[in-house]
Amino acid sequence: MVCSSSTCQCSGNGGTPQATESSCGDNHDNDCDGQTDCADSDCNGDPCGSNGMVCSSSTCQCSGNGGTPQATETTCNDDNDNDCDGLTDCQDPHCDGKQCAPSKTCQSGVCS
């Protein structure tokens, strides 16, 4: 908090000062409530990183980008970046050898 005369305002603690935390991935307590990013309930459901990461249960987690969230891509036929690494289905090396269509598997980034 920064005080001058009779008013005090949040300094942003190194980040952009905000009345309610909305910069949920900058590692700053922007609204000066003692909680940073996803630990602040104001951030629940808000983006906190790249490729579909969102605040959930006080941590930054993969949203699944419309599919089922996964630690590593195992669903290789749903056109979603399930593990939030920026790669979808066969483009993700985790899908190599996994089924991507009936009678087809992912091989070197291609469903064949």
Side-chain angles (χ1 to χ4, degrees):
M1 298 294 275
V2 176
C3 298
S4 62
S5 300
S6 61
T7 61
C8 292
Q9 294 180 332
C10 177
S11 64
N13 294 304
T16 304
Q18 299 166 340
T20 303
E21 188 89 23
S22 62
S23 296
C24 301
D26 68 353
N27 294 315
H28 297 288
D29 176 17
N30 303 82
D31 61 359
C32 298
D33 67 355
Q35 298 174 329
T36 303
D37 297 341
C38 292
D40 191 324
S41 62
D42 295 332
C43 285
N44 197 29
D46 288 350
C48 55
S50 59
N51 302 319
M53 300 292 284
V54 295
C55 290
S56 178
S57 302
S58 299
T59 61
C60 191
Q61 300 178 3
C62 180
S63 66
N65 292 300
T68 302
Q70 299 168 340
T72 57
E73 194 90 17
T74 58
T75 304
C76 302
N77 61 356
D78 66 352
D79 294 323
N80 294 304
D81 176 17
N82 303 82
D83 61 358
C84 296
D85 66 356
L87 302 170
T88 303
D89 296 342
C90 288
Q91 295 172 345
D92 193 319
H94 294 116
C95 283
D96 277 354
K98 293 187 173 80
Q99 186 175 8
C100 55
S103 302
K104 294 185 177 188
T105 58
C106 293
Q107 297 297 324
S108 302
V110 178
C111 183
S112 57

